[in-house]
Amino acid sequence: MPEVGGDARIGVVFVSHSSKIAEGLVELAAQMAPSVALVAAGGTDDGRIGTSFDRVTSAIGEADSGAGVVILCDLGSAILTTETALDFLDDDVRERVAIADAPLVEGGVAAAVAAEAGEPLDAVVAAARSANAGDGTGPGGPDAAGGPGGAGAPASEAPTDATVAAAAAGHVRRETITNADGLHARPAAELVKLASTFDQRVTVNGTDAKSLLAIMALGLTKGASIEIASEDPDGGAAVEAIAALVQGGFGEH
């Protein structure tokens, strides 16, 4: 049973018309969420393109450790199959299972990372939905480019209101990305998981450090300067921990 500090983690199920797509997503998400129950439910029972009531039902059971399950689907009929599967669950199980209206790849990865961080069901669903463009939190939303200088750019030297507030709290650090491939998916996931262990809000170049997709949308490459900040009076430990993670190359060197 996947657990965080004794607490069970949310499982994630990928429902796709293709078994290869669903299995590939499990492989991808497992790189960033190795402790989460990630289960593929792709294709029909006889291996054709389509979806299977039995496979979805079985996947939910396999992913459920008692904390709940978030399901992501690719096409409309996959959603219908999944909704039918949910109708046949016992009431107590159905209460902790949710379909996330989110893109299968981006939403699935974001959900897996949130689950790895030990977030509850509603937070994992919200993480998946953050991939929806235009909701204000996804890569296309304002938070994505939110940092000073925008995506991929080093933090501006001109102080923003957030920087001034964070500086007043004494919690601002500037670091440089040293990883050869920049802040790609795996180190971004490590940053988000670490940030999620703190109650205080921390930003990276003005972007919420707990949002995987927003952090990845910054497009930070090797040599990029980043500003880690918290306006919270108690945010110092979080800022220092993330700064240390950056200095250590996110464990990659």
Side-chain angles (χ1 to χ4, degrees):
M1 177 182 297
E3 295 185 347
V4 178
D7 298 325
R9 288 186 171 93
I10 301 294
V12 179
V13 171
F14 296 94
V15 180
S16 171
H17 281 63
S18 166
S19 60
K20 292 182 179 178
I21 290 176
E23 291 163 4
L25 287 168
V26 167
E27 182 181 13
L28 173 65
Q31 296 296 308
M32 292 163 271
S35 302
V36 175
L38 306 166
V39 184
T44 63
D45 294 338
D46 57 0
R48 292 179 292 112
I49 295 296
T51 54
S52 160
F53 170 87
D54 288 339
R55 287 196 174 195
V56 173
T57 300
S58 176
I60 293 171
E62 185 178 346
D64 185 20
S65 62
V69 178
V70 172
I71 307 172
L72 292 100
C73 307
D74 57 1
L75 302 174
S77 58
I79 298 174
L80 293 175
T81 300
T82 302
E83 289 177 338
T84 302
L86 263 61
D87 287 340
F88 279 80
L89 295 176
D90 293 338
D91 291 344
D92 60 328
V93 177
R94 189 186 308 114
E95 290 176 353
R96 59 177 185 265
V97 179
I99 301 173
D101 178 16
L104 192 61
V105 178
E106 294 89 344
V109 169
V113 171
E116 179 75 17
E119 299 287 359
L121 183 65
D122 57 346
V124 175
V125 171
R129 295 192 70 252
S130 72
N132 291 317
D135 74 346
T137 58
D143 281 355
S156 168
E157 295 301 326
T160 64
D161 291 344
T163 299
V164 171
H171 308 315
V172 179
R173 289 284 299 271
R174 287 183 182 274
E175 301 292 342
T176 300
I177 299 295
T178 59
N179 296 64
D181 296 325
L183 199 63
H184 61 88
R186 199 201 66 78
E190 293 301 316
L191 190 155
V192 171
K193 285 186 284 185
L194 178 59
S196 298
T197 63
F198 294 92
D199 294 332
Q200 299 77 21
R201 185 175 189 272
V202 179
T203 60
V204 173
N205 286 7
T207 293
D208 184 0
K210 297 180 182 179
S211 173
L212 175 67
L213 298 176
I215 290 295
M216 291 183 65
L218 290 174
L220 296 168
T221 58
K222 182 179 181 180
S225 174
I226 66 171
E227 179 186 88
I228 308 160
S230 176
E231 300 177 36
D232 192 304
D234 298 322
V239 170
E240 293 302 319
I242 294 173
L245 183 68
V246 177
Q247 290 174 354
F250 301 89
E252 291 190 334
H253 58 72

